[in-house]
Amino acid sequence: MELEGTLETLTYRNEQTGYSVARLQVPGQSGQVTVVGTLHDPVVGQTLQLTGDWQNHPRYGRQFHIEASRSVSPATAEGIERYLGSGMVKGIGPELARRIVARFGTDSLRVLDEEPKLLSAVPGIGPSRLAALGEAWKAQRGLREVMLFLQSHDIGTANAWRIYRRYGAKSIERIRENPYRLAEEVYGIGFRTADRVAASLGLARDAPARLQAGLLFALGGAEGHTCLPTDELARRAAVLLELPEERLAEGLRELAAAGRVVLEGACVYLPALHAAEAGIALLLHRLAAAPRTALAAEPEKDIARAQGNLDLTLDPPQAEALAAALREKVLILTGGPGTGKTTILRTLVAALSGRRVLLAAPTGRAAKRLEESSGREAKTIHRLLEFDWRTGGFRKGPAEPLGCDLLIVDEASMVDTVLMYQLLRALPPAAGLLLVGDADQLPSVGPGNVLRDLIASGRLPVRELTHIYRQAAASLIVTNAHRIRAGRMPEGDGEDFYFIEQDSPAKAAEIILQLVTERIPRRFGLDPRADIQVLSPMHKGEVGVQNLNRLLQGALNPGAEGLQRGPWRLSTGDRVLQLRNDYEKEVFNGDIGRISHLDAGQAVIEFDGRPVRYELEELDEIALAYAVSVHKSQGGEFPAVVLPVMTQHYVLLQRNLLYTAVTRGRRLVVLVGTRRALHIALSKAGAGSRFTGLARRLKEQV
């Protein structure tokens, strides 16, 4: 819908994002209407042409939500006076605006634009003030020109504001020089948007800037790879650009010559990933070779004392793994669920009660579990390294290393290449490193396959636990997880693991809804809003994340009015997921919280009892979390997990995805789908492999 009116009141304004709440007087309507959304430098008295839709807010009533906006100069003398007197132009206040309009009437804006010297006829405007007013008006006109230029190239108001915040008055100049810089330098704008702007500016399809941008986008968007073979990169970029592969060779050479990519053998890297991967290999080699501080003067006595204090007895494989953790400078401890990794960690921490031991994990959920199981403080890796969002870097590093004798990192399979590099840079040479994880789970969301590569290199000591202990073996979740890990079908229904066969996606969605809202709460006494997590391999489709969230929200949070943000309607009480790292808020990709407050100005979301404030424009970083992707569930553990396994998920069905999903459940796992889909997943053991060079680099270290 379209709406045009005069801006009467600016109720709220976020200068960083442009998000505004304002009141408009619309011709033909009695009273003022509330509009919310992104506005570029709104000024009381200006006429706005808005595109958007009407929504009902539970507290504030009917509001117009802005998708695009355009400022129109006021046409009446009264409107022009209010417009100029609003403080929009530096040096013009209400009184001077009155005098200008008294002299020039409805011609006032034209005079400011075309004949500013005529303003000297206005009382109180001398030569110096005339010059200052001319400069101020020129700056304001520049903003209007930038916004009109961007919107004429089909860039929405929110993105236009981001661009203006980045480049200011030079926005048009910068975009004309190279429109593809938008995809690299402005958050929220991708290659396709930049490509559309470039086409509208008349840039040739085979222009060097377009070829280079396409190559960079294809390389940067590689799903978890740290590099790509040259021919694979050319294939991907050719599809993206709709050009023959042979046309891209020159663009790749130019990128390498400019230092924007690194060519190494037959592979292409982004410079930051090349530096991180090479840095991991070098730092691990140096760490393993450096002398270490002895962790325990009498290891056997310390281990015996810890076992006594914890009232447990380690079996020989566990005891040997624990001794290796005390002996080796760097050690990898791996194994599936129920094999005793947590027991070894608890005993190790207890045995080193007098030493400086730091515990960390990639996510807040994983750190909390590590803290609960070890009885010692654990932090996320970002908090441990003290990320400074102002500088975009970590405080901890070579100049200010971590103060520890041993660093333990749990859920190490989730640590990507860049984060592992930063962690190793901060580790003092004399310290020991223990990486604990399950290499058969999905790899990190970020680039790399670090834990698997470290094991595959053969250059670091590894202890793999394989024995499933009696208590864990009583759980079908654990035994079936190990069957899946080995490529075998899960078996039987029991107290904690069920398979419901259904080949219709629509009916499977209905069954999942019943399971979450009725059957599981009634049978197991679990809270459907807090204890049951639906996972899905994909986002689209009837049993994809988006549709399942829509169904579950309607059942678990019915009747709540909310705000539409992208594909989601967010309401107070909703379970939500953070989509990207926000270091300022200390909320990270994959964190799950609940909306406790939502109004026209801001939202408050609680993460593990900690309230975090969001401007409404920042809610683009949030999605519903009644259902989440398996990838986003990594590092988490839930009382109950429900997972659709359908043949429509064929592209993403793979053994490590199924294994990861099943191991997220603590008390209950329910699969809904077909045996054929399970067979497909189990048969794809090598699926999801990534192009990396870390294992090779470690093997090459002398």
Side-chain angles (χ1 to χ4, degrees):
M1 296 185 64
E2 294 183 352
L3 188 70
E4 181 172 321
T6 303
L7 180 58
E8 296 290 338
T9 307
L10 189 60
T11 307
Y12 172 81
R13 171 78 173 163
N14 184 310
E15 294 299 333
Q16 295 299 314
T17 65
Y19 184 84
S20 307
V21 179
R23 302 278 288 171
L24 241 62
Q25 184 64 58
V26 178
Q29 291 196 23
S30 60
Q32 298 174 359
V33 301
T34 300
V35 299
V36 296
T38 302
L39 295 172
H40 49 84
D41 273 14
V43 177
V44 172
Q46 73 183 136
T47 300
L48 295 176
Q49 291 180 346
L50 308 176
T51 302
D53 60 4
W54 290 100
Q55 295 184 18
N56 284 313
H57 191 279
R59 180 176 175 185
Y60 296 101
R62 195 166 182 250
Q63 300 176 333
F64 190 84
H65 282 246
I66 303 165
E67 293 178 3
S69 68
R70 181 172 178 267
S71 176
V72 181
S73 298
T76 66
E78 181 185 1
I80 292 171
E81 182 179 330
R82 293 186 64 204
Y83 181 61
L84 292 177
S86 65
M88 172 195 71
V89 183
K90 186 178 180 182
I92 300 181
E95 177 56 30
L96 184 55
R98 184 190 65 76
R99 293 201 299 268
I100 292 173
V101 174
R103 178 70 177 81
F104 299 108
T106 56
D107 205 29
S108 298
L109 298 181
R110 187 198 65 78
V111 168
L112 282 161
D113 271 333
E114 301 173 8
E115 300 179 276
K117 291 182 180 179
L118 295 180
L119 292 172
S120 60
V122 176
I125 299 181
S128 60
R129 194 171 191 185
L130 178 63
L133 289 178
E135 289 301 314
W137 181 255
K138 188 186 297 183
Q140 179 63 26
R141 184 175 61 189
L143 171 61
R144 297 203 310 274
E145 289 174 353
V146 168
M147 289 301 174
L148 288 173
F149 171 81
L150 295 173
Q151 291 175 358
S152 71
H153 289 287
D154 199 26
I155 295 178
T157 303
N159 278 336
W161 181 252
R162 291 188 184 107
I163 293 169
Y164 186 78
R165 296 286 301 181
R166 179 68 175 82
Y167 303 121
K170 294 186 176 181
S171 296
I172 297 175
E173 177 187 343
R174 293 284 184 267
I175 293 169
R176 288 191 185 280
E177 286 173 358
N178 181 8
Y180 293 102
R181 70 192 313 157
L182 296 173
E184 298 178 44
E185 299 175 355
V186 182
Y187 170 74
I189 296 182
F191 173 82
R192 297 192 185 281
T193 299
D195 199 37
R196 190 172 65 245
V197 173
S200 69
L201 290 172
L203 200 70
R205 288 171 51 78
D206 60 351
R210 184 170 188 264
L211 302 187
Q212 293 176 24
L215 285 162
L216 287 173
F217 182 80
L219 183 59
E223 303 84 358
H225 308 294
T226 58
C227 59
L228 282 179
T230 307
D231 55 354
E232 175 66 15
L233 174 59
R235 184 191 66 78
R236 293 180 181 217
V239 171
L240 176 71
L241 297 168
E242 298 179 344
L243 290 172
E245 292 182 27
E246 54 269 20
R247 302 285 292 276
L248 301 172
E250 181 61 28
L252 188 57
R253 283 194 293 271
E254 291 172 352
L255 286 171
R260 302 181 71 190
V261 300
V262 176
L263 300 180
E264 186 176 82
C267 286
V268 187
Y269 286 83
L270 291 173
L273 289 177
H274 182 267
E277 191 177 271
I280 290 173
L282 179 62
L283 290 171
L284 278 174
H285 175 70
R286 289 177 177 173
L287 184 67
R292 74 172 299 167
T293 302
L295 288 176
E298 299 179 292
E300 293 80 5
K301 288 185 178 180
D302 289 334
I303 292 173
R305 173 179 51 79
Q307 291 184 81
N309 291 339
L310 295 173
D311 192 24
L312 57 81
T313 302
L314 299 178
D315 70 4
Q318 290 178 314
E320 201 285 321
L322 180 55
L326 293 170
R327 179 179 69 249
E328 302 287 356
K329 193 73 185 307
V330 180
L331 179 70
I332 297 171
L333 178 64
T334 186
T339 57
K341 297 192 301 294
T342 299
T343 300
I344 292 173
L345 282 182
R346 287 177 59 211
T347 311
L348 176 61
V349 170
L352 297 176
S353 57
R355 307 301 299 182
R356 297 181 304 166
V357 179
L358 294 178
L359 285 79
T363 68
R365 286 175 289 170
K368 185 177 180 180
R369 290 208 332 269
L370 178 59
E371 186 170 293
E372 291 170 349
S373 62
S374 67
R376 192 157 180 166
E377 181 186 22
K379 297 181 179 180
T380 64
I381 296 174
H382 288 91
R383 291 194 179 102
L384 183 74
L385 298 180
E386 298 180 17
F387 186 87
D388 186 347
W389 62 270
R390 297 173 186 84
T391 63
F394 293 102
R395 293 192 180 95
K396 295 296 184 182
E400 188 183 339
L402 296 167
C404 65
D405 300 313
L406 175 66
L407 173 63
I408 300 173
V409 180
D410 198 13
E411 295 284 1
S413 64
M414 297 177 61
V415 183
D416 65 33
T417 299
V418 174
L419 190 56
M420 180 60 77
Y421 175 54
Q422 296 297 335
L423 189 64
L424 292 172
R425 290 180 74 242
L427 197 60
L433 175 65
L434 175 60
L435 299 175
V436 183
D438 187 343
D440 290 309
Q441 288 189 17
L442 287 170
S444 57
V445 174
N449 204 349
V450 175
L451 183 63
R452 185 180 287 269
D453 284 351
L454 297 184
I455 295 171
S457 74
R459 296 302 304 271
L460 298 171
V462 178
R463 295 296 183 273
E464 182 178 6
L465 304 173
T466 57
H467 178 68
I468 306 174
Y469 291 92
R470 184 183 306 169
Q471 185 175 357
S475 165
L476 269 181
I477 295 176
V478 172
T479 56
N480 279 330
H482 283 271
R483 291 179 68 87
I484 291 167
R485 193 181 192 215
R488 299 158 60 198
M489 284 286 286
E491 60 183 12
D493 289 342
E495 285 299 308
D496 62 357
F497 189 98
Y498 296 86
F499 174 67
I500 300 175
E501 195 154 6
Q502 177 54 249
D503 60 3
S504 165
K507 290 182 179 178
E510 292 178 9
I511 290 171
I512 290 169
L513 186 63
Q514 292 173 0
L515 285 167
V516 174
T517 59
E518 300 174 20
R519 294 166 63 177
I520 293 176
R522 184 172 59 243
R523 172 69 175 79
F524 295 91
L526 296 175
D527 182 349
R529 294 173 179 82
D531 298 334
I532 306 171
Q533 183 61 62
V534 177
L535 306 178
S536 180
M538 296 182 73
H539 285 272
K540 301 297 178 67
E542 289 174 292
V543 285
V545 167
Q546 290 189 11
N547 187 53
L548 290 173
N549 266 314
R550 182 182 62 80
L551 295 174
L552 290 164
Q553 183 189 46
L556 298 175
N557 198 15
E561 295 288 349
L563 297 174
Q564 196 71 31
R565 308 304 293 175
W568 314 111
R569 178 182 61 80
L570 300 177
S571 305
T572 301
D574 275 335
R575 187 175 183 174
V576 292
L577 174 82
Q578 177 77 13
L579 296 175
R580 70 183 186 94
N581 292 340
D582 189 321
Y583 300 106
E584 182 178 358
K585 292 182 173 65
E586 293 192 337
V587 181
F588 301 102
N589 187 356
D591 285 353
I592 292 177
R594 189 174 301 279
I595 299 176
S596 61
H597 175 78
L598 183 66
D599 62 26
Q602 64 179 3
V604 177
I605 302 176
E606 289 195 1
F607 293 93
D608 292 325
R610 181 174 68 95
V612 180
R613 296 185 182 278
Y614 285 74
E615 303 294 343
L616 294 193
E617 197 68 13
E618 295 175 310
L619 290 178
D620 292 340
E621 302 175 5
I622 293 295
L624 291 177
Y626 299 101
V628 302
S629 69
V630 178
H631 286 80
K632 291 289 187 183
S633 73
Q634 291 183 81
E637 189 177 68
F638 311 96
V641 162
V642 180
L643 175 76
V645 188
M646 311 294 294
T647 53
Q648 68 173 201
H649 296 150
Y650 181 88
V651 174
L652 288 178
L653 283 179
Q654 52 193 257
R655 190 186 301 175
N656 59 357
L657 181 139
L658 181 61
Y659 175 71
T660 300
V662 168
T663 54
R664 299 310 92 198
R666 187 166 62 245
R667 288 179 53 190
L668 176 69
V669 171
V670 183
L671 307 183
V672 180
T674 67
R675 296 188 182 278
R676 182 166 179 266
L678 284 174
H679 279 293
I680 291 171
L682 294 169
S683 67
K684 291 160 69 174
S689 60
R690 295 179 169 185
F691 292 111
T692 72
L694 181 57
R696 171 185 57 80
R697 293 180 195 281
L698 285 163
K699 290 176 183 177
E700 292 172 353
Q701 291 289 341
V702 179

